[in-house]
Amino acid sequence: MICANAMPALILPLVDAATHWPARGALVGLDLGTKTIGVAVSDPDRRLATGVETISRKAFKQDAARLLAIAAERKAVGFVLGLPINMDGSEGPRAQSTRAFARNLAGLTALPIGLWDERLSTAAVERELIGMDVSRAKRAEVIDEHAAIFILQGALDRLANLRQG
């Protein structure tokens, strides 16, 4: 489902992107690592984020094709990308890389892309997995998918708070 001639997707901060998504419909959350992409999806009512898979990064077109297939399978209406902002609020190379990925993905889909501050998401997930006594090897396998869940759930919670006023 790569839309070569569609209008490029909007890339906006989460709260602004939400105004371009229909009231219902799943969102796909992504944690972009250098070697993997953690993927999570929400339910259509956007209450709960669930892990889907961890994609081993290959070439952008292959990775994007898998992400767009997941979005189509889940009837998603948008993407939420974790934006790794530095603790001082500045954007370093990883944030720039995420923005570049978002621009490239936007050229292949019309689904609006929301950027969500993911500061400390991987560290929080790592602590949680350690607390659950998950082995180092198993943590390495699931960390990105769990970080995607953490990112998407944080975004869903923020959107729910906005709806409640």
Side-chain angles (χ1 to χ4, degrees):
M1 183 180 126
I2 295 181
C3 310
N5 55 2
M7 289 290 292
L10 295 170
I11 304 168
L12 300 165
L14 178 75
V15 173
D16 298 327
T19 65
H20 295 276
W21 293 322
R24 284 191 87 245
L27 297 175
V28 177
L30 305 177
D31 177 53
L32 300 173
T34 54
K35 296 179 183 163
T36 60
I37 302 171
V39 184
V41 176
S42 76
D43 62 290
D45 291 321
R46 300 185 197 144
R47 290 195 175 100
L48 185 64
T50 307
V52 175
E53 69 182 76
T54 299
I55 298 170
S56 291
R57 292 185 84 164
K58 294 174 181 68
F60 172 77
K61 289 227 188 260
Q62 274 182 280
D63 301 344
R66 180 65 193 130
L67 293 172
L68 294 173
I70 291 168
E73 289 163 13
R74 305 298 175 115
K75 297 178 176 55
V77 298
F79 287 95
V80 175
L81 272 65
L83 186 64
I85 296 173
N86 294 326
M87 293 310 292
D88 65 3
S90 66
E91 292 189 15
R94 287 195 55 233
Q96 293 166 3
S97 175
T98 296
R99 287 188 183 278
F101 186 95
R103 282 192 302 275
N104 291 334
L105 184 61
L108 301 175
T109 182
L111 299 178
I113 299 169
L115 300 175
W116 176 245
D117 181 352
E118 66 141 309
R119 260 180 276 203
L120 300 177
S121 62
T122 302
V125 169
E126 181 93 22
R127 277 194 308 275
E128 183 178 307
L129 292 171
I130 288 169
M132 293 166 47
D133 207 26
V134 176
S135 72
R136 183 182 303 268
K138 185 66 177 162
R139 283 197 312 266
E141 288 176 25
V142 300
I143 191 84
D144 293 316
E145 184 180 321
H146 281 251
I149 296 167
F150 187 89
I151 290 164
L152 183 55
Q153 190 64 55
L156 296 175
D157 293 347
R158 175 73 176 115
L159 294 173
N161 286 340
L162 286 173
R163 282 193 303 272
Q164 292 170 358

